[in-house]
Each structure stands twice: as C-alpha cells, then as structure tokens.
Amino acid sequence: MKKDAALKIGIKDIAKHANVSIGTVDRVLHNRSEVSKTTREQVLQIIEELGYTPNLLAKSLASKIKYTIAVLIPDLGSNAYWEKPLQGIRAAALEIKKFNFELQIATFDYGNEKSFVEKANEILNSNPSGFIFAPVFYDSSLVLIEKCDQLQLPYVFIDVFIENCKNLAYFGQNSVQSGYLAASLMKYGIVNGGISHIYVVKPLNPSAPVYHLSLREKGFITYFSQVAASQVFIHSMDVDISSSTELVKSLDTIMESAQKPSGLFVANSRVHLVARYLEKNKIENVVLIGYDLLQENVEFLEKGIIQFLICQNPEEQGYKSVLSLFNHLFLKKTVDKFNYSPIDIIMKENIEYYTNFKI
Amino acid sequence: MKKDAALKIGIKDIAKHANVSIGTVDRVLHNRSEVSKTTREQVLQIIEELGYTPNLLAKSLASKIKYTIAVLIPDLGSNAYWEKPLQGIRAAALEIKKFNFELQIATFDYGNEKSFVEKANEILNSNPSGFIFAPVFYDSSLVLIEKCDQLQLPYVFIDVFIENCKNLAYFGQNSVQSGYLAASLMKYGIVNGGISHIYVVKPLNPSAPVYHLSLREKGFITYFSQVAASQVFIHSMDVDISSSTELVKSLDTIMESAQKPSGLFVANSRVHLVARYLEKNKIENVVLIGYDLLQENVEFLEKGIIQFLICQNPEEQGYKSVLSLFNHLFLKKTVDKFNYSPIDIIMKENIEYYTNFKI
DNA sequence: TAATCTTCCGTTAACGTACACGACAAAGAT
DNA sequence: ATCTTTGTCGTGTACGTTAACGGAAGATTA
C-alpha cells in the first residue's frame, strides 16, 4: 500500500509540513550543518513519514558537480579480449552522461607491471570519483588498493579478484567453475567406454600474469577427480607462445605419442592457435574447448574445429562495473560486492546471438 | 572532432545565435506553427550547426505528459514461464519511471482466446502510448494488429512473432535455431557408433497454441537430416497433458519397445514431467534436453536427470521490450525490428549464474 | 552599551525546457 | 478613420532541486 495519492511529494511539500523553508530541508537532506538538532529531527521525521524520494532529474539539473570514473585495463594490443569490456564501459558511460558522469580511460601493457603502476598513479593524481581496474599484478595492486582506501576512493575490480579488500564490487567470472564446466562438457562428448587422454594446454606469455589460467585448470582437473572417470587421463602442458615454434613442437609430440588426445582444453583465449594447428594437420575427432569470443576463435568455431567456447559476457561486465559506481555515487544505492557473470557455452549453432553486444 | 568546448549548448544558446527568443526556438523544435518560414529555417540551421541535443532531464522535468505502456501476456497460472519476462518488464518500468513512464499490465488465459481479445480491447480503450504483447493466437492477433495500425499505436511483439506487420520491434528467440542447437548437443553426446533412437516429445494442452513447439521440432529434425547421422532415428511423439496418465503411458510404450531411446528432446518447458518419469522409473543413460528455467526443471537439472536446458533470457526480453518503446516514444531513437535473444545452454555446472536476474 | 560574531534559517537565482499568455505589427473589415 | 483579425514573436512562470546570499536573533567581546 503506497500513499501516492498526492502524486509526487517534493522538497517543498516536506518544507510545508515541517513549517520550515526549502533551504532548511535541503540542508537536512545533505546533512550539512547550520541547522538545529530539533528542527533537523523534525524534518527528518516528516521525510520519513511522507516517504520522500528525491527527483533525480531535477537533482542533476540543478547540481553542478561532475563525476569522473577512471578505468584502468590492459591495452588491446597486449590482449584483444579487453576490447569487449571496453565496449560495455563505453555503453554505460553514454547512458549516465546525462547525470554529469564522464569517463577517463587508461590502459597498461599486460606484460609490463611498471606501466600498470605508472598509469594507476596518474589516475590517482587526477582525483576521480570512482575507479575501475583489473588488478592483474598482485603486488602492485595491493599497493594501489591501499592508496585507494586512504583516499576513500571507491574502486571496482573487473575480471580479476583480490581477496580481503574493501572494493565496492567485483565483476568477473568464477574461473574455477568455468573449468569445471568445460570438463563436464568434455566428458559428455568423449567418454563412451575406452581409454581417453585429455590435455590441458596453457599457451602463455612468460612475462604476463597467469592468474586465471591456473584456476580454470584447477576446476577442470577437479571435475575429473570427482566424477568417476577412471578411463580418463588428464595431462597438463605449458607452452611459451613468445617462441613461435614451441606450440607446434609440443603438439607434434603428443599427436605422435601413444597417448593421442581425445580432447584438448585450452585455458585461455589463445585456443585459436591450437585450432590452427589441428586444421593445418587435418586432425579430426579431437574435441577442442577454449575461451572467449575473439574473432579468430569464432572462425574456428564456425568451421567446426573448436567445439565449444566458454564465454563470460565481458561487455556486460564492463557495463555493470560502471553502473555499480553510478549506483553508489549518485543513487546512493548499496551494490552487491560479488557479481559473477554467467558461464556461457557457445557453439557453432548459437554463436550468432552472442557476437552483437546491445544493451 | 567534437566542438564541445563551450560545454553544453542549450535552447538559449541557439536563441542567441539566431537572434530570436527561446520561445521561438521551442516552437521550431516542436515544429508547431506560429513561426515564419524564414526564421524557422534559420533556427533549424543554427541547431544543425551547433549540434544541439536536448537535455532529457530538463525536458521531462518541464513536461507534463505521461506515457503509459500497456502489456498483455499470458497469466502465470496458465504458464509459469511468463513470470520471467514480467520481471524484466517491471525492472525496466522502474528505470523509466523518472521520465514519466508508467506500466499497465494485463494478462489473459493461455487456453482461452476470448480472454485475449477482451483484455486487448480494454487496453486499446484506455488509450496507451505503446503496447507490448505476445501474439499467441494468430487470428485474434491479426485483428488486434489491424486496430493498432489504425490507432497509430506502436506495438512490440514479445516471444511470438507474426510476419508482415508494422510492429515496432520483436523480442524473442529463433525457435528453429534453438531446436537445431538442441539436436547438435544431442548428437555430440550420443552418437558414437551404433544405432540410436531419439524421441521428440511434445507435451501439450489441446486448447493452447503450439506455435513454438512446431518450430523447435522442425529445427531439431532438420539438423539430423542435414548432418550425416545415418545411425540415428528420430521419432515424434505428441502427448496430451490435460490427461494425467497419457504421458506415462506413452513413455512406458517406448521404454518397453525395441527402439529404446538414447535421447529425449522435449520441445517446451514441461520437460520436468518427463524428468519425473525417468526418476521414478530409475531410467538412466538417457540424454534429456528441454526448455526454460522453471523451478521444477532446475531441480531435475541439478539432479542430473535433465542434461541440458535451452534458455532464452526471458527477463531480458521483457526488459528490452519496454526499453524499445521508451527509445521510440521518448528518445525518438530508431529501434531494431528483430531482436533475437541468445540461445543459452544451461547445464548443472552453470545454472547458478542464470537464475538471478539483475540488470 | 555598542560592536562583532555565531547560529540558525528564509529568500532567491539558477539548471534547461515546456507552454500559456500577451505584445505588436500588418492586413482586413466597418 | 477606427476596430478587429491574423500571423509572429517575446516574456513569464513552472518543473524540483542546489547553493549562494543575507537577515534576525542571541551570545560574546570591547
């Protein structure tokens, strides 16, 4: 039962009821000083009684304060994936522009921790209202987080999560669970009696952080250790992709071995490298599962060389990160701290409905 | 290159540049009469040059017009599924309330075409600004659509699509493709040599429309006819669920037959009925694929009796339907006519990330 | 005792837009 | 010649809020 009979009550209504001026009500609402305890409480009570909610439109029309949301993510050169969250971030920015919000986007080199630190400091010096970043370098991030806490600057983690922090929110995927799911998918397609060998391939750049990879692998392996599958053997395989031949050599080795793979799980978005190998060598009947909707991956999915891509709707992660700060700063709403993206299963037959981000 | 040096130009800036008053500019903007051709063109040119965009906040603060969006969908009693789109619709309503938008929600009995017509007429009489409905009854919908066209009332289809209409937009799933995908999933898990029998089960209520079902079945069957699978046999099975024993009898029959199923595809959200049968009769090693995240379905998915649920993010469909009318009516943006939802593949391992709708 | 300082509070001009009202000219009617 | 009509256009008020400004008491100081 809402008493919206009198349509919409505003600041001047509560002023009338409390026998004060709107100026006083305003001071109470922004709990500024210059108002006596008694009248403050009285006004507060009227506000409560009438169920006053501020008109956001009038609010941001009249207000002159600008909000700046700073964003720090890897540059697209070092990791094409980040184009996606950025899309969502930009979309959100467009929507909250009317409320005097603007963005300040900075990027760092994924293989260079120093660039991360430098950009972060620049941002802190510019004194933003909120901060979204991917804390991919653990130690440097701890330092940064410490500074944010001191400055009382609300910050949001995107993609990567660090425990025991006072971050406003986190948007990302449950990496362990995604690996677990990949394993289940793999088993569903493969295990029909007989022995099978499955390889976890980790194509990585030695200078870049590997946080996600290990969690995904962990989930994958956990699945097979829990679910009865005595006939299945899991092998792990690190590959340095800064050397261009390393991957081919490694794959050659296992293909020629006695333990030929029935399935390959590539724990990051470089699954297209493995797919290219399979295509070139005309290897079929190998289930290939990887991550993320990069253009190259999509092509191999459509060709049928990659069977499944695990995806995390990164655009939405970006979008919601921005919105969470908007909710916090402007709407004064409480926001959920943990926000896990869905673990989307993409195959040839449904890919077309995931490639166009629209909000 | 944007010339936002002078920050934000408003109606009074263009008034100044055009040497007229803001009243005149306002008349031009709303192309009302009472403006001479020459000044109108002049103002229009200035508007163009300065790249004026109206301030939406100020606009809806000053404007007294209310928008009403009418919604007509099946009631939750006849089909629990519709709770989900409704959630999204309500979420969207909450967001655009500030812009003077309000909802008017009506429901009809899924098994009663007359109730659809009656409610539709009520809505038309209330003279809404926009109309969202599920045109599940073909003939009645055609009549309704005709009326909407005459009234110049913008209307949006949700869930079901009717061709050759002037609907503003459609939000739903590509049903054929979803069946096609289900088939691919089925094949991936089942076909490993040997003969298999797969049944398409259609639990239906004789008085309710069956539009979706047939399309989903079509996609499913098409897949197996296209993809080489000579060892796979597809059988079709209609079941009247208004009789409580019919389903059990039918399933008993095929389970005892020589052509025992390796897989069951249930083309609608009643897959839990089939799951319950399998559970009760302790039948394992049958792949069961169905539709939609109803509570009952989710439970059987978690138990491992249903392997996959195909889902279409119905909350988002509802949400976006409302937003499309907002874009059209208020922002005067052009909206896409066809909006297909992703075909989400849900299994035990990722279900938890799909059950909480948050925008 | 007068002057200054606090503390509290009301008034008012914005913010950008919508729209009713009235002003003022030119054109027509009497 | 005066009076009305018509077509243009400017002015003023309103929407709900913010925030600067200033006024009226009482409290403190000289």
Side-chain angles (χ1 to χ4, degrees):
Chain A
M1 281 295 256
K2 282 198 293 184
K3 48 157 81 175
D4 55 7
L7 277 160
K8 201 61 189 165
I9 52 133
I11 196 174
K12 71 177 63 163
D13 295 303
I14 59 182
K16 204 170 292 171
H17 280 73
N19 278 324
V20 294
S21 74
I22 59 167
T24 304
V25 177
D26 183 65
R27 276 182 284 265
V28 172
L29 281 172
H30 297 81
N31 52 350
R32 272 175 281 174
S33 54
E34 303 185 17
V35 56
S36 74
K37 258 168 292 177
T38 53
T39 52
R40 153 160 287 139
E41 279 163 12
Q42 196 176 345
V43 170
L44 241 28
Q45 190 186 339
I46 303 281
I47 288 176
E48 181 75 16
E49 277 176 19
L50 298 181
Y52 166 78
T53 54
N55 182 323
L56 298 179
L57 305 189
K59 179 170 181 158
S60 61
L61 225 209
S63 171
K64 321 211 83 49
I65 35 176
K66 301 270 176 203
Y67 296 89
T68 307
I69 294 182
V71 176
L72 181 59
I73 56 176
D75 60 51
L76 310 188
S78 41
N79 199 328
Y81 166 82
W82 285 95
E83 183 189 338
K84 311 253 172 188
L86 203 48
Q87 271 185 50
I89 287 170
R90 291 225 167 87
L94 218 60
E95 279 190 26
I96 62 177
K97 198 173 136 193
K98 10 181 186 314
F99 298 101
N100 295 329
F101 274 73
E102 68 174 16
L103 279 201
Q104 177 192 355
I105 296 175
T107 59
F108 62 89
D109 181 350
Y110 203 83
N112 178 357
E113 186 157 0
K114 240 174 75 183
S115 77
F116 174 81
V117 175
E118 281 168 8
K119 292 302 182 74
N121 285 332
E122 278 178 28
I123 285 173
L124 292 189
N125 286 333
S126 78
N127 201 27
S129 331
F131 190 13
I132 298 170
F133 66 101
V136 292
F137 300 105
Y138 186 76
D139 293 330
S140 300
S141 295
L142 284 186
V143 176
L144 174 55
I145 287 162
E146 174 71 28
K147 286 183 190 170
C148 290
D149 283 336
Q150 274 180 13
L151 292 170
Q152 305 241 51
L153 173 64
Y155 51 99
V156 172
F157 294 152
I158 185 168
D159 200 60
V160 182
F161 178 66
I162 292 186
E163 283 178 333
N164 298 323
C165 293
K166 296 180 195 146
N167 59 310
L168 177 68
Y170 161 68
F171 293 87
Q173 197 174 46
N174 184 331
S175 299
V176 175
Q177 187 66 19
S178 78
Y180 197 85
L181 174 134
S184 174
L185 264 181
M186 185 74 86
K187 172 163 179 281
Y188 171 72
I190 279 183
V191 183
N192 272 54
I195 289 177
S196 17
H197 293 276
I198 295 174
Y199 290 78
V200 180
V201 184
K202 291 178 287 176
L204 37 84
N205 194 319
S207 68
V210 295
Y211 184 67
H212 273 343
L213 268 74
S214 55
L215 292 182
R216 288 167 176 173
E217 181 182 18
K218 182 178 159 196
F220 192 86
I221 291 174
T222 302
Y223 179 87
F224 281 105
S225 72
Q226 285 177 358
V227 176
S230 57
Q231 307 273 63
V232 179
F233 297 90
I234 311 290
H235 310 267
S236 227
M237 212 174 96
D238 286 17
V239 185
D240 178 359
I241 54 159
S242 63
S243 142
S244 61
T245 56
E246 179 100 9
L247 180 67
V248 173
K249 251 192 292 180
S250 305
L251 289 174
D252 276 345
T253 309
I254 63 170
M255 290 301 167
E256 287 157 11
S257 79
Q259 305 182 334
K260 274 198 196 133
S262 308
L264 297 172
F265 173 58
V266 184
N268 64 18
S269 59
R270 328 241 199 218
V271 56
H272 55 92
L273 298 177
V274 178
R276 183 160 296 125
Y277 174 91
L278 294 184
E279 182 183 44
K280 202 170 271 177
N281 296 277
K282 299 196 172 56
I283 299 171
E284 293 175 359
N285 296 323
V286 174
V287 175
L288 179 56
I289 301 181
Y291 277 85
D292 299 331
L293 293 187
L294 302 195
Q295 186 50 40
E296 295 125 308
N297 293 346
V298 170
E299 281 164 22
F300 283 112
L301 188 76
E302 279 166 351
K303 283 183 190 169
I305 294 172
I306 296 175
Q307 269 67 47
F308 295 100
L309 284 172
I310 313 290
C311 188
Q312 55 182 318
N313 206 344
E315 297 95 337
E316 198 178 274
Q317 284 176 19
Y319 182 82
K320 290 188 170 177
S321 299
V322 174
L323 275 201
S324 73
L325 277 169
F326 174 72
N327 283 328
H328 176 73
L329 292 169
F330 191 78
L331 303 184
K332 314 285 184 199
K333 278 198 218 165
T334 54
V335 315
D336 289 338
K337 187 160 183 177
F338 293 95
N339 306 85
Y340 290 110
S341 307
I343 304 177
D344 288 327
I345 303 169
I346 318 290
M347 49 197 292
K348 200 171 156 177
E349 287 82 8
N350 65 348
I351 175 82
E352 68 173 300
Y353 305 105
Y354 289 88
T355 43
N356 282 323
F357 172 66
K358 288 259 180 69
I359 187 65
Chain B
M1 282 295 256
K2 283 199 290 185
K3 48 159 80 175
D4 56 5
L7 277 158
K8 201 60 188 166
I9 53 132
I11 198 174
K12 72 176 62 164
D13 295 302
I14 59 183
K16 203 171 293 170
H17 280 75
N19 277 324
V20 293
S21 74
I22 59 166
T24 304
V25 177
D26 183 65
R27 277 181 284 265
V28 172
L29 282 172
H30 297 80
N31 52 348
R32 272 176 279 176
S33 54
E34 304 183 17
V35 177
S36 74
K37 256 168 294 176
T38 52
T39 52
R40 154 159 285 139
E41 280 163 11
Q42 196 176 346
V43 171
L44 241 27
Q45 190 186 337
I46 304 280
I47 289 176
E48 180 75 16
E49 276 176 19
L50 269 52
Y52 166 78
T53 54
N55 183 321
L56 298 180
L57 305 189
K59 180 168 179 159
S60 61
L61 225 208
S63 171
K64 322 214 79 49
I65 34 176
K66 301 270 176 204
Y67 296 89
T68 307
I69 294 182
V71 176
L72 181 60
I73 56 176
D75 61 52
L76 310 188
S78 39
N79 199 328
Y81 166 82
W82 284 95
E83 183 189 336
K84 311 255 172 184
L86 202 50
Q87 271 186 50
I89 287 171
R90 292 225 167 87
L94 217 61
E95 278 191 27
I96 62 177
K97 196 173 139 195
K98 13 181 185 308
F99 299 101
N100 295 328
F101 275 72
E102 68 173 16
L103 278 201
Q104 177 192 355
I105 296 175
T107 58
F108 62 90
D109 181 350
Y110 203 83
N112 179 356
E113 185 156 1
K114 239 173 76 180
S115 77
F116 175 81
V117 175
E118 281 168 8
K119 292 302 183 73
N121 285 331
E122 277 177 29
I123 285 173
L124 291 189
N125 287 333
S126 77
N127 200 29
S129 331
F131 191 13
I132 298 171
F133 66 101
V136 292
F137 300 105
Y138 186 77
D139 293 329
S140 299
S141 295
L142 284 186
V143 176
L144 174 56
I145 286 162
E146 175 71 26
K147 285 183 190 170
C148 290
D149 283 337
Q150 274 179 14
L151 292 169
Q152 305 242 51
L153 173 64
Y155 52 99
V156 172
F157 294 152
I158 185 168
D159 201 58
V160 182
F161 177 67
I162 292 186
E163 283 179 334
N164 298 322
C165 293
K166 295 179 197 147
N167 60 310
L168 177 69
Y170 161 69
F171 292 87
Q173 197 174 47
N174 185 331
S175 298
V176 175
Q177 187 67 20
S178 78
Y180 196 86
L181 174 133
S184 174
L185 265 180
M186 186 74 89
K187 172 163 179 282
Y188 171 72
I190 279 183
V191 185
N192 272 52
I195 289 177
S196 19
H197 293 276
I198 295 172
Y199 289 79
V200 179
V201 184
K202 290 178 289 177
L204 34 85
N205 194 319
S207 68
V210 295
Y211 184 68
H212 273 342
L213 269 74
S214 56
L215 293 182
R216 289 168 175 173
E217 180 181 19
K218 182 179 159 195
F220 193 85
I221 292 175
T222 303
Y223 179 88
F224 281 105
S225 70
Q226 283 177 359
V227 175
S230 56
Q231 308 273 63
V232 179
F233 296 91
I234 311 290
H235 310 268
S236 227
M237 211 175 96
D238 286 17
V239 186
D240 178 358
I241 54 159
S242 63
S243 142
S244 61
T245 56
E246 179 100 8
L247 180 66
V248 174
K249 251 192 294 180
S250 305
L251 289 174
D252 276 346
T253 309
I254 62 171
M255 289 301 167
E256 288 157 11
S257 79
Q259 305 183 335
K260 275 200 196 130
S262 308
L264 297 172
F265 173 58
V266 185
N268 65 18
S269 58
R270 328 241 199 219
V271 56
H272 55 93
L273 299 177
V274 178
R276 184 159 296 126
Y277 174 90
L278 295 184
E279 182 183 44
K280 203 169 271 177
N281 296 277
K282 298 196 172 58
I283 299 170
E284 291 176 358
N285 296 321
V286 174
V287 174
L288 179 55
I289 300 181
Y291 278 85
D292 299 331
L293 294 187
L294 302 195
Q295 186 50 40
E296 295 126 310
N297 293 345
V298 169
E299 280 164 22
F300 285 111
L301 188 76
E302 279 166 351
K303 284 185 190 168
I305 294 172
I306 296 175
Q307 269 67 46
F308 295 100
L309 284 172
I310 313 288
C311 188
Q312 53 182 318
N313 207 341
E315 297 96 338
E316 197 178 276
Q317 285 176 20
Y319 182 82
K320 290 188 171 177
S321 298
V322 174
L323 274 201
S324 73
L325 277 170
F326 174 73
N327 283 328
H328 175 73
L329 292 169
F330 191 78
L331 302 184
K332 314 286 183 198
K333 276 199 219 166
T334 54
V335 315
D336 290 339
K337 186 160 184 176
F338 294 95
N339 305 85
Y340 290 110
S341 307
I343 304 176
D344 287 328
I345 303 168
I346 319 291
M347 48 199 292
K348 198 171 152 178
E349 287 81 9
N350 65 349
I351 176 79
E352 69 173 301
Y353 305 106
Y354 288 88
T355 42
N356 282 323
F357 172 66
K358 288 261 181 69
I359 187 63

